[in-house]
Amino acid sequence: MNSPLDWPEPIVRVQSLSDTNVIPNRYIKPPPERPSFSPTINADTNIPLIDFSGLFTGDEALRATTLEQISEACREWGFFQVVNHGVKPELMDSAREAWRQFFHQPMEVKQAYANSPVTYEGYGSRLGVVKGAVLDWSDYYFLHYLPCSLRDHKKWPAIPPSLREVIDEYSRQVVKFGGELMKVLAINLGLAEDKLQNAFGGRDDIGACLRVNFYPRCPQPDLALGLSSHSDPGGMTILLPDQHVPGLQVRKDHSWITVKPAPHAFIVNMGDQIQVLSNTIYKSVEHRVIVNSNMERVSLAFFYNPKSDLLIEPAKELVTPEKPALYSPMTFDEYRRFIRLRGPRGKSQVESLTSPR
């Protein structure tokens, strides 16, 4: 099914609704999906925090411990925080602040970059093209970084003036970090360290893109979600969270954990493509975003994805008679069309694709 050329209804920018007293019905979630309805885990619980520098000190015992921490986090949580990852803290702060400035530009400046469901590139306010769908309380900006053939700086905001240069350097450093993580994931699966990277298209031919999320203040946060529950359709997500306002929630044992970001940490999570390649040894995990009535939030989700036209299937080394391949080959371009057409819907897509046995 091809993506439609335009949205099914006129687009309303959520930011323009943040000063109202009552949210429109389009944003009110059914009771079972509302944050007030769902059980949450003890407020002190958090996802694992891992010091990435333990891999590079030359201390073999520390390296082995760090590898095991990442392995356990991937298998048990699908989410973890990483500090000392190699991306400069001041660059992380500059990137987040540049995007915050963009979202506070006059509407006519932002509207010049309005997106469509064909590629999603640009300034947007909805996922999915189902007419009459209940929408999420967020605006966003989506852009491509890799492959180079898709990178078009003219589609990146020109205001504030620093944004294009900052995001170029930020993306370069995050891609480097992502490449190191891919080696670790492969080693922990017992594969050659370049196995997953090559499955994604090699070092420079992956599909790397950025979605910047802007969650305005919400007058009725108990009725809405900034982003509905979903697992990420891609390979791996490297999230720069808002440093001061929590909002990301991760599903664990049928309850929700609100992630407490560590200073200058990235939040890393496995996507559906890693679940497929690992034959479910690593699992993508449902997550969502809650909103609040007092403060806006800005986060940067960097998606480290396979090249869109490559077939993704379980690594042959991880397929045995006892554990046959659980998924049939499919390109990432085919796979992500689901969320682009229907919007976020839990883990229904990846679970529907398990090969019958």
Side-chain angles (χ1 to χ4, degrees):
M1 185 187 301
N2 293 324
S3 297
L5 298 178
D6 209 350
W7 303 108
E9 297 137 333
I11 291 294
V12 176
R13 302 305 178 185
V14 177
Q15 192 174 5
S16 70
L17 304 173
S18 62
D19 290 329
T20 59
N21 294 320
V22 179
I23 66 174
N25 288 338
R26 291 297 308 277
Y27 300 91
I28 298 177
K29 298 296 181 183
E33 297 178 22
R34 295 175 191 172
S36 56
F37 181 89
S38 309
T40 55
I41 289 178
N42 187 297
D44 294 332
T45 304
N46 204 0
I47 61 175
L49 176 64
I50 297 169
D51 186 341
F52 205 61
S53 66
L55 297 171
F56 307 106
T57 63
D59 183 329
E60 287 304 314
L62 181 58
R63 175 177 169 81
T65 298
T66 306
L67 286 171
E68 179 56 32
Q69 288 174 342
I70 296 173
S71 178
E72 184 177 349
C74 291
R75 294 166 190 259
E76 300 299 324
W77 288 82
F79 266 85
F80 52 96
Q81 296 194 72
V82 182
V83 293
N84 297 321
H85 36 64
V87 179
K88 295 178 180 178
E90 58 270 23
L91 182 60
M92 299 168 76
D93 294 339
S94 297
R96 192 192 301 107
E97 182 56 32
W99 281 108
R100 192 184 301 275
Q101 289 179 28
F102 168 78
F103 282 105
H104 283 284
Q105 295 301 312
M107 186 56 71
E108 60 268 22
V109 172
K110 293 179 287 191
Q111 280 295 111
Y113 300 97
N115 71 351
S116 80
V118 177
T119 66
Y120 273 84
E121 285 181 279
Y123 176 49
S125 296
R126 68 178 290 167
L127 279 172
V129 293
V130 177
K131 190 171 183 178
V134 177
L135 302 178
D136 290 332
W137 192 264
S138 58
D139 299 320
Y140 64 86
Y141 202 103
F142 181 83
L143 57 83
H144 289 287
Y145 183 71
L146 288 175
C148 292
S149 59
L150 292 181
R151 189 190 312 167
D152 185 352
H153 288 119
K154 293 177 183 176
K155 294 180 180 178
W156 299 15
I159 299 174
S162 64
L163 188 144
R164 290 178 178 176
E165 182 179 354
V166 167
I167 296 309
D168 217 15
E169 178 60 20
Y170 175 82
S171 299
R172 186 187 69 80
Q173 292 192 23
V174 173
V175 164
K176 182 179 179 182
F177 168 54
E180 294 296 330
L181 265 177
M182 291 287 278
K183 292 179 186 177
V184 171
L185 298 183
I187 290 168
N188 280 338
L189 288 168
L191 304 173
E193 70 171 28
D194 61 353
K195 176 70 178 184
L196 297 181
Q197 190 71 62
N198 289 339
F200 273 36
R203 191 183 67 179
D204 300 317
D205 214 17
I206 62 166
C209 47
L210 176 68
R211 176 183 151 121
V212 185
N213 306 297
F214 183 79
Y215 303 103
R217 290 179 294 105
C218 180
Q220 295 176 290
D222 55 326
L223 300 180
L225 286 171
L227 190 56
S228 296
S229 175
H230 66 289
S231 62
D232 288 344
M236 177 173 62
T237 303
I238 302 169
L239 178 76
L240 174 61
D242 194 296
Q243 198 69 44
H244 304 292
V245 188
L248 175 64
Q249 291 189 325
V250 175
R251 188 185 285 278
K252 176 70 169 172
D253 300 328
H254 308 294
S255 297
W256 292 99
I257 293 172
T258 301
V259 177
K260 277 70 74 177
H264 293 114
F266 281 120
I267 298 170
V268 176
N269 66 279
M270 302 297 100
D272 293 346
Q273 305 305 302
I274 290 289
Q275 175 169 322
V276 170
L277 276 164
S278 71
N279 208 25
T280 75
I281 295 173
Y282 298 156
K283 292 181 176 65
S284 60
V285 171
E286 280 185 74
H287 51 287
R288 67 182 188 183
V289 176
I290 57 174
V291 289
N292 68 76
S293 58
N294 297 318
M295 301 181 73
E296 68 187 31
R297 292 181 65 250
V298 177
S299 67
L300 281 65
F302 198 94
F303 301 118
Y304 196 100
N305 294 333
K307 189 168 179 283
S308 64
D309 58 355
L310 293 180
L311 286 173
I312 301 296
E313 60 184 321
K316 290 179 172 52
E317 298 90 331
L318 303 177
V319 175
T320 66
E322 295 75 30
K323 189 169 184 181
L326 296 176
Y327 302 95
S328 300
M330 178 181 286
T331 67
F332 178 53
D333 200 35
E334 292 176 272
Y335 189 90
R336 68 179 167 191
R337 196 169 293 130
F338 175 94
I339 195 170
R340 289 189 168 187
L341 292 175
R342 298 178 62 191
R345 300 199 179 190
K347 288 198 66 171
S348 59
Q349 184 185 15
V350 71
E351 290 173 352
S352 73
L353 295 178
T354 303
S355 298
R357 295 294 162 198

